[in-house]
Amino acid sequence: MGESKVAAMRDAVAGLVRDGDTVAIEGFTHLICFAAGHEIIRQRRRDLTLARMTPDVIYDQMIGAGVARKLIFSWLGNPGVGSLHAVRRRIEQADPEPLEIEEYSHFGMVCRYVAGASNLPFFPIRSYYESDIPSVNPNIKPMRSPYEDGTEVYVVPPLRPDVTIVHAQRATADGDAQIWGLLGCQKEAAFAAERVIVVCEELVEESVVRQDPNRTVIPGIVVDAVVEQPFACHPSYAQGYYDRDNGFYLEWEQVSKDPAMLEAWLREWVYDLESHADYLEKLGDRFEHLKPGERWSGQVNYGEYA
Amino acid sequence: MGESKVAAMRDAVAGLVRDGDTVAIEGFTHLICFAAGHEIIRQRRRDLTLARMTPDVIYDQMIGAGVARKLIFSWLGNPGVGSLHAVRRRIEQADPEPLEIEEYSHFGMVCRYVAGASNLPFFPIRSYYESDIPSVNPNIKPMRSPYEDGTEVYVVPPLRPDVTIVHAQRATADGDAQIWGLLGCQKEAAFAAERVIVVCEELVEESVVRQDPNRTVIPGIVVDAVVEQPFACHPSYAQGYYDRDNGFYLEWEQVSKDPAMLEAWLREWVYDLESHADYLEKLGDRFEHLKPGERWSGQVNYGEYA
Amino acid sequence: MNMNGYSKNEMMISASSRTLAGERVCFVGVGLPNIVCNLAQRTVAPDLQLVYEAGVFGARPARLPLSIGDPTLVSGSTAVTSMFELFAFYLQAGLIDAAFLGGAQIDRFGNLNTTVIGDYASPKVRLPGSGGACEIAIHARKILVIMRQAQRSFVEELHFRTSPGHSGDPEHDRARGWSGSGPTSVVTDLGTYGFDEETGEMTLLTLHPDVTLDQVRENMGWEPKVSPDLGETPPPTAEELRLIREELDPQGVASS
Amino acid sequence: MNMNGYSKNEMMISASSRTLAGERVCFVGVGLPNIVCNLAQRTVAPDLQLVYEAGVFGARPARLPLSIGDPTLVSGSTAVTSMFELFAFYLQAGLIDAAFLGGAQIDRFGNLNTTVIGDYASPKVRLPGSGGACEIAIHARKILVIMRQAQRSFVEELHFRTSPGHSGDPEHDRARGWSGSGPTSVVTDLGTYGFDEETGEMTLLTLHPDVTLDQVRENMGWEPKVSPDLGETPPPTAEELRLIREELDPQGVASS
């Protein structure tokens, strides 16, 4: 359909991510597109509002590199390891500068994306009761059911990122993307966005996607650019393609704690490299022990109805 | 997990569908479980409130047989053919008795199920503006966004059927069900219900479902009974298993128009038969030309992570 | 089949297909609209993506589907989605460029009735109801109507307003803030209509070959507004007829 | 490793796993809770279904996951669902029987703080925040807490209430109409606690072997309510220790 949207990461980021944008690089543990975050750092974007349920190490790197002025999130940490120290320094000591934060619970963040994707002015959830969260986030408002029960709920406003970047195992040149394994809120974040970049492990023929339409998570009509970038999620993972590099997450604790080490890491692994290809070359054989065994889904028959 | 829920259709209906219940047999054109509807007719349930987005021929048969006192719906017709005359007689002429109706738009019905499945007291949608529908259905209420925009939406109340009956291509003995092709609102209707009957073309080992967890639509924890009943959807269809019997839908127009013919049809095809097995035997070779060709999905690798 | 060698439906299909020129994402109904969209995809709108409310995006039907949920719409499509996502993420979000609606009654502002003839509580004829029509009318950027024309269907006063059209007050319409801009075209067996920018009123643009203005008047419940430069609808081309008869509706289900 | 041949974590894991006896659907966190749930599945709760907030139902992890979204949780699971559906259809709908929560601070009514130490606007320590904890605390039928005990974590006054526990007024709690009944058990490195039916206050039920009531008092910010029939926590069985050390946490990641 139409002209191809296939682009190099550098061009996709240069063309679609602008200073001051609200950017969501989503993916819950799975399919977090580190390569896109690194390219944004490399291109020295500034004043971004970064949105993510779980900022994870990628936002610690981006915020440590100074691309953001604000963070919208629901869980701030290095999963299973500890803290995001670059983020904490900015929140706790305004070091090197303050970071504005806007926080929700996981369900609140998910529903903000659902509202954004659905063009709804608000989304009701049963949460936040007797919690201090609404007291520090006026965007979370109480509302009563108009029906007999009069149940009280809280509502959250839509979140509409200027740009959402999601990674998928495979996508077509038009951006039809298929994902298996954890889905997070990739679909909702993509539909909610003004502009969408889909990064994929494999660029595939339309026929591959049309073989199994129920596996399509994001349709090309909401996608502006498609970047084929294998291993773009390291140290996050892509189900069936490579494992999570838990060692990296564990090592990050030390790097993140020390501003000098963080700066050195950014220089060595981002600024001094041209692209993710260089990053992978530098990683060397690290992927060898991250390769999973095979575990196939089996296939189903859609039937030929002519 | 736990004791098996596998049951014969007769026992599942006898045990879980009670006079006066609100019953939803969902499936949008696809996977409409006619066999369950016929069993409910055969067991002469009464005073049911039937809920379905598109009542379709199955509810024309059930309502013609007198099982229902009320109908909740969003589109009332014989898709691509014409009317549901048994339903129309009751609405237009209270013949043989009145039928209470409560109607929504498709999106309104879907969101009622979503609210029911989510334990939400209401669900907001942008619809019904300047339509007469809310004037004949007080359950559809206007509401203002509490945010600056103050956008007006309408809200619909949750729908929580006493029993939802869904058909799936395959399910495990515990009720974990996998569906491909049109999804309708099967998942939402199942999660919204107090009791759930899953009918399937094939009862499969847990290992088959666990091979492709992203294809699971309904988890066993919300399922009370699992009925293995191939071709249970005729004249509706099961993607990849058999085609829609459009001829039957076309013929129904005549049957439905004439109360005597309808009564005769019910006697011949429902009351005088013991089970769906008899129904299939009576249909004879009708399925031969309804068998689709093969069109396989291909398979994906989930990866072995040990 | 008239003396020109094409049927009324074929004329309607051809005329409607041209209203899709350049469109990208179209919500398809069954029957005529289905043929119209597939014809447009092969003629004036090669990039047209067919979306079916049943939850199918980018369908490539291998046969003419009788129902909107035919299995042929699924096999080989780009994406299948739950109906919640289809209505919320695609339609309500404003991703649908054009959609076809019809009804038992339409008024001069393109409001449609698909609910009842007569009184709602005790209707003379109980019609199907809204289905997705109410939200489609509000969110699809362009609403294209295909209906045969008659006194009883083109009425001064609807018995029930299922789906909103123009209000008659363009100020009001602009202030609605809907992603949809309401009905933009009506194609009947007699001619084609647009809607007046100022008044939002249905306006006769072209008469089909051999149709007179009197015939149009005889088949309408109000005095039709007629475009100053009223023209004739270009008849179906030989290629359009070939596509309809040989590829899209070989059994002539909908084209007779 | 203490003189009894098991570690504090192993004592906590064993004691917690027993609180899952007979449970059906459990929301699992990473770290200790993950080992606890997998242990319970092999001992007191054979039918236990493991649900991970990442969107996995019926997980069968082939290794100890470091993160809550580890790929080993997906391969071979019963169902993978979007996070919206997991939180809306499973958690908010009340399908979760038990869930584990912890935090930097807990008060006597089981309210938890995972947000900040110090002032919210300029915190001494910025903690992760709610994640799913706030809604889990409200909807999961039973909340099971695992925390090491110390003056700074078992506090009279939370710095921030991230997740609600009991209010201290059972009347009020019953009137909430939540599907969750709040915290039902707390397991620390010193003992196990329940919550008083009448007051909703944390109550010491058992002391772990070799732990004294004074140690408990020294590591709490309030004077603990003690059950009249205070007992000793049964130590981990040999089989529990074998499962933990050989199958669930061979590298001793969480059990040391």
Side-chain angles (χ1 to χ4, degrees):
Chain A
M1 309 280 122
E3 75 302 330
S4 165
K5 301 162 182 173
V6 178
M9 182 68 83
R10 175 180 304 164
D11 302 329
V13 168
L16 297 168
V17 181
R18 299 151 199 173
D19 288 350
D21 275 355
T22 293
V23 177
I25 301 178
E26 270 298 347
F28 194 86
T29 318
H30 184 212
L31 299 174
I32 303 171
C33 194
F34 275 71
H38 293 167
E39 186 57 32
I40 289 170
I41 293 172
R42 199 177 286 120
Q43 294 189 21
R44 294 189 156 73
R45 286 287 173 285
R46 289 294 179 265
D47 301 318
L48 301 180
T49 292
L50 294 177
R52 238 185 93 74
M53 294 176 68
T54 57
D56 202 86
V57 164
I58 183 58
Y59 278 14
D60 202 41
Q61 295 173 352
M62 293 171 76
I63 286 168
V67 306
R69 50 164 287 274
K70 180 178 178 181
L71 177 64
I72 303 172
F73 69 98
S74 51
W75 191 85
L76 189 67
N78 179 343
V81 178
S83 291
L84 301 177
H85 296 283
V87 175
R88 280 184 58 186
R89 278 191 295 275
R90 289 190 54 181
I91 298 175
E92 295 168 5
Q93 300 137 41
D95 165 21
E97 54 184 333
L99 179 71
E100 189 184 339
I101 60 169
E102 181 180 327
E103 74 182 293
Y104 298 84
S105 60
H106 274 349
F107 194 33
M109 272 296 278
V110 170
C111 291
R112 289 203 63 193
Y113 284 125
V114 173
S118 309
N119 186 29
L120 280 174
F122 63 90
F123 201 92
I125 69 178
R126 287 191 192 240
S127 187
Y128 303 121
Y129 303 125
E130 301 178 33
S131 165
D132 291 337
I133 299 171
S135 71
V136 296
N137 184 345
N139 283 343
I140 302 169
K141 297 176 185 292
M143 177 184 266
R144 282 213 170 280
S145 165
Y147 297 104
E148 306 61 41
D149 56 300
T151 305
E152 185 180 59
V153 296
Y154 277 85
V155 298
V156 292
L159 178 55
R160 297 201 183 86
D162 295 300
V163 191
T164 286
I165 301 173
V166 293
H167 193 88
Q169 279 103 334
R170 63 192 187 195
T172 65
D174 193 47
D176 304 303
Q178 298 193 319
I179 293 175
W180 52 98
L182 299 182
L183 302 171
C185 54
Q186 309 261 69
K187 172 186 286 196
E188 295 80 0
F191 274 95
E194 186 60 36
R195 306 185 287 278
V196 176
I197 299 174
V198 165
V199 185
C200 59
E201 290 297 314
E202 296 185 74
L203 195 61
V204 296
E205 289 304 315
E206 213 180 296
S207 60
V208 173
V209 164
R210 290 182 180 274
Q211 257 189 317
D212 195 356
N214 282 96
R215 230 186 263 285
T216 304
V217 170
I218 297 165
I221 43 162
V222 299
V223 176
D224 298 278
V226 182
V227 177
E228 182 179 36
Q229 182 57 265
F231 305 109
C233 298
H234 177 271
S236 171
Y237 72 99
Q239 191 82 39
Y241 288 74
Y242 44 97
D243 199 349
R244 187 166 186 266
D245 189 346
N246 290 326
F248 184 100
Y249 278 88
L250 290 162
E251 294 155 21
W252 185 254
E253 175 75 4
Q254 294 315 314
V255 178
S256 173
K257 261 186 178 145
D258 175 349
M261 276 182 73
L262 172 59
E263 188 50 39
W265 187 91
L266 288 170
R267 170 145 293 93
E268 181 182 357
W269 290 92
V270 183
Y271 295 119
D272 288 355
L273 302 180
E274 287 289 304
S275 69
H276 195 66
D278 296 356
Y279 175 92
L280 294 176
E281 192 186 336
K282 196 168 157 61
L283 273 179
D285 60 6
R286 186 145 182 158
F287 275 103
E288 276 166 29
H289 67 280
L290 293 178
K291 186 136 190 55
E294 292 186 1
R295 190 151 173 176
W296 295 92
S297 64
Q299 53 183 337
V300 300
N301 179 23
Y302 276 88
E304 183 65 48
Y305 295 89
Chain B
M1 308 281 120
E3 74 303 329
S4 165
K5 301 162 183 174
V6 178
M9 182 69 82
R10 175 181 303 164
D11 302 329
V13 168
L16 296 168
V17 182
R18 300 153 197 171
D19 289 350
D21 275 354
T22 293
V23 178
I25 301 178
E26 270 299 345
F28 195 87
T29 320
H30 184 212
L31 300 175
I32 303 171
C33 193
F34 275 71
H38 292 167
E39 187 57 33
I40 289 170
I41 293 173
R42 199 176 287 120
Q43 294 189 21
R44 293 190 156 73
R45 286 287 171 286
R46 289 295 179 265
D47 302 317
L48 301 180
T49 292
L50 294 177
R52 238 185 93 75
M53 293 177 69
T54 58
D56 202 83
V57 164
I58 183 59
Y59 278 14
D60 204 40
Q61 295 173 351
M62 292 171 76
I63 286 167
V67 306
R69 51 163 287 273
K70 180 177 178 181
L71 178 64
I72 302 172
F73 69 98
S74 51
W75 191 86
L76 190 67
N78 179 341
V81 178
S83 291
L84 301 177
H85 297 284
V87 176
R88 280 185 57 186
R89 278 192 295 277
R90 289 190 54 179
I91 297 174
E92 294 168 7
Q93 300 137 46
D95 166 22
E97 56 183 333
L99 179 71
E100 187 183 341
I101 60 171
E102 181 180 327
E103 74 182 294
Y104 297 85
S105 59
H106 274 349
F107 194 33
M109 272 295 279
V110 170
C111 292
R112 288 202 64 192
Y113 284 125
V114 173
S118 308
N119 186 28
L120 280 174
F122 64 90
F123 200 92
I125 69 178
R126 286 189 192 242
S127 188
Y128 303 121
Y129 303 125
E130 299 178 34
S131 165
D132 291 337
I133 298 172
S135 71
V136 296
N137 183 347
N139 283 343
I140 302 169
K141 298 178 184 291
M143 178 185 267
R144 283 213 170 279
S145 164
Y147 298 105
E148 305 62 39
D149 57 298
T151 305
E152 186 181 56
V153 296
Y154 277 85
V155 297
V156 292
L159 177 54
R160 297 201 182 86
D162 295 300
V163 191
T164 287
I165 301 172
V166 293
H167 192 88
Q169 280 102 332
R170 64 190 187 195
T172 65
D174 192 49
D176 303 303
Q178 298 192 321
I179 292 175
W180 52 99
L182 299 182
L183 302 171
C185 55
Q186 310 261 70
K187 172 187 285 195
E188 295 81 0
F191 274 95
E194 184 61 35
R195 306 184 287 277
V196 175
I197 299 174
V198 165
V199 186
C200 59
E201 290 296 315
E202 297 184 73
L203 196 61
V204 297
E205 290 303 316
E206 213 180 296
S207 60
V208 173
V209 164
R210 290 182 181 274
Q211 259 189 316
D212 195 357
N214 282 95
R215 226 185 268 286
T216 303
V217 170
I218 297 165
I221 44 163
V222 300
V223 177
D224 298 279
V226 180
V227 177
E228 183 178 35
Q229 183 56 265
F231 306 110
C233 298
H234 177 272
S236 169
Y237 72 100
Q239 190 83 39
Y241 287 75
Y242 44 96
D243 200 351
R244 188 166 185 265
D245 189 346
N246 290 325
F248 184 99
Y249 278 88
L250 290 161
E251 294 155 20
W252 185 255
E253 175 73 6
Q254 295 314 313
V255 178
S256 174
K257 260 186 178 145
D258 176 347
M261 277 182 72
L262 171 59
E263 188 52 38
W265 188 91
L266 288 170
R267 171 146 292 91
E268 182 181 357
W269 290 93
V270 182
Y271 293 120
D272 289 355
L273 303 179
E274 288 289 305
S275 69
H276 195 67
D278 296 357
Y279 175 93
L280 295 175
E281 193 186 336
K282 194 168 158 63
L283 274 179
D285 61 6
R286 187 147 183 157
F287 274 103
E288 278 165 27
H289 67 280
L290 293 177
K291 188 136 189 54
E294 293 187 359
R295 190 154 174 173
W296 295 91
S297 64
Q299 53 182 338
V300 299
N301 179 23
Y302 276 88
E304 184 64 48
Y305 294 89
Chain C
M1 193 70 62
N2 69 12
M3 58 194 299
N4 307 322
Y6 53 84
S7 70
K8 285 183 167 187
N9 278 351
E10 286 169 339
M11 179 70 250
M12 291 170 76
I13 291 165
S14 157
S16 299
S17 72
R18 298 166 191 172
T19 63
L20 285 172
E23 297 298 348
R24 190 67 209 285
V25 183
C26 182
F27 222 67
V28 188
V30 283
L32 290 192
N34 183 63
I35 303 173
V36 169
C37 295
N38 282 278
L39 178 60
Q41 203 179 40
R42 290 164 173 72
T43 55
V44 297
D47 287 349
L48 196 67
Q49 299 253 35
L50 307 186
V51 183
Y52 289 79
E53 71 180 1
V56 181
F57 182 75
R60 290 263 183 90
R63 68 185 184 199
L64 182 69
L66 173 70
S67 85
I68 202 169
D70 192 284
T72 195
L73 299 174
V74 168
S75 295
S77 65
T78 305
V80 173
T81 173
S82 73
M83 292 190 77
F84 172 72
E85 285 170 5
L86 190 88
F87 278 95
F89 296 179
Y90 289 77
L91 182 61
Q92 188 166 261
L95 296 181
I96 306 299
D97 296 324
F100 285 90
L101 290 179
Q105 294 181 327
I106 186 169
D107 69 15
R108 70 177 68 205
F109 296 114
N111 294 285
L112 289 160
N113 172 17
T114 53
T115 303
V116 288
I117 298 301
D119 173 52
Y120 183 81
S122 51
K124 186 161 160 305
V125 182
R126 173 63 222 201
L127 302 164
S130 166
C134 184
E135 37 264 358
I136 290 167
I138 289 165
H139 300 295
R141 298 192 182 280
K142 290 183 181 180
I143 296 300
L144 312 172
V145 177
I146 306 183
M147 278 173 72
R148 290 211 172 205
Q149 211 175 310
Q151 285 279 350
R152 70 172 192 299
S153 55
F154 280 58
V155 298
E156 186 66 44
E157 200 57 64
L158 298 178
H159 293 182
F160 189 97
R161 176 153 68 167
T162 311
S163 313
H166 303 290
S167 67
D169 171 1
E171 280 307 315
H172 170 89
D173 293 359
R174 274 186 290 274
R176 282 164 160 173
W178 300 352
S179 45
S181 54
T184 55
S185 129
V186 176
V187 173
T188 76
D189 50 331
L190 300 180
T192 71
Y193 302 78
F195 287 83
D196 185 277
E197 279 297 318
E198 284 320 300
T199 63
E201 182 176 348
M202 199 185 298
T203 307
L204 182 66
L205 301 179
T206 68
L207 289 167
H208 295 336
D210 310 323
V211 174
T212 67
L213 193 49
D214 283 344
Q215 279 174 278
V216 169
R217 289 207 177 85
E218 286 157 19
N219 290 284
M220 255 173 128
W222 70 87
E223 177 56 31
K225 194 171 195 309
V226 180
S227 165
D229 38 19
L230 177 67
E232 178 175 277
T233 319
T237 66
E239 174 60 4
E240 287 171 336
L241 292 173
R242 188 191 67 73
L243 287 165
I244 294 169
R245 295 170 185 176
E246 292 173 21
E247 295 183 19
L248 304 175
D249 186 19
Q251 293 100 18
V253 174
S255 316
S256 52
Chain D
M1 192 67 63
N2 66 14
M3 61 195 293
N4 307 322
Y6 53 83
S7 70
K8 284 182 168 187
N9 278 350
E10 286 169 339
M11 180 70 250
M12 289 170 77
I13 291 166
S14 156
S16 298
S17 72
R18 297 167 190 171
T19 64
L20 285 171
E23 297 299 346
R24 189 68 207 287
V25 183
C26 181
F27 222 67
V28 189
V30 283
L32 290 193
N34 183 63
I35 302 174
V36 169
C37 294
N38 281 278
L39 177 60
Q41 203 180 41
R42 289 165 173 73
T43 54
V44 296
D47 287 350
L48 196 67
Q49 299 252 35
L50 306 186
V51 183
Y52 289 79
E53 72 180 359
V56 180
F57 181 74
R60 291 263 183 88
R63 68 183 183 200
L64 182 69
L66 173 70
S67 86
I68 203 168
D70 191 285
T72 195
L73 299 174
V74 168
S75 296
S77 65
T78 304
V80 174
T81 174
S82 72
M83 291 190 77
F84 173 73
E85 286 171 4
L86 189 88
F87 277 96
F89 296 0
Y90 289 77
L91 182 61
Q92 187 167 260
L95 296 181
I96 307 299
D97 296 323
F100 284 91
L101 290 179
Q105 294 181 326
I106 187 169
D107 69 15
R108 71 177 67 203
F109 297 115
N111 293 285
L112 287 160
N113 172 17
T114 54
T115 302
V116 288
I117 297 301
D119 174 50
Y120 184 80
S122 51
K124 189 162 158 302
V125 182
R126 174 64 223 202
L127 302 164
S130 167
C134 183
E135 36 265 358
I136 290 168
I138 290 165
H139 299 295
R141 299 193 181 280
K142 290 185 183 179
I143 297 300
L144 311 172
V145 177
I146 307 183
M147 277 173 72
R148 290 209 174 207
Q149 211 174 311
Q151 285 280 349
R152 70 172 191 299
S153 56
F154 279 59
V155 299
E156 186 66 43
E157 198 60 62
L158 299 178
H159 293 181
F160 189 96
R161 177 155 66 167
T162 311
S163 312
H166 302 290
S167 66
D169 171 1
E171 280 307 316
H172 170 89
D173 293 358
R174 274 187 290 276
R176 281 164 161 174
W178 300 352
S179 45
S181 52
T184 55
S185 126
V186 176
V187 173
T188 76
D189 50 331
L190 300 180
T192 71
Y193 302 77
F195 286 84
D196 185 277
E197 279 297 319
E198 282 322 299
T199 62
E201 182 176 348
M202 198 185 299
T203 306
L204 182 67
L205 300 180
T206 67
L207 289 168
H208 296 336
D210 310 322
V211 174
T212 68
L213 192 49
D214 283 344
Q215 280 174 279
V216 168
R217 289 206 176 86
E218 286 157 20
N219 290 285
M220 253 172 130
W222 69 88
E223 176 57 31
K225 194 172 196 309
V226 179
S227 165
D229 40 21
L230 177 68
E232 177 174 279
T233 318
T237 66
E239 174 61 3
E240 287 172 334
L241 292 173
R242 189 192 65 74
L243 286 166
I244 295 169
R245 296 170 184 176
E246 292 173 22
E247 294 183 21
L248 303 176
D249 186 19
Q251 293 98 19
V253 174
S255 315
S256 52

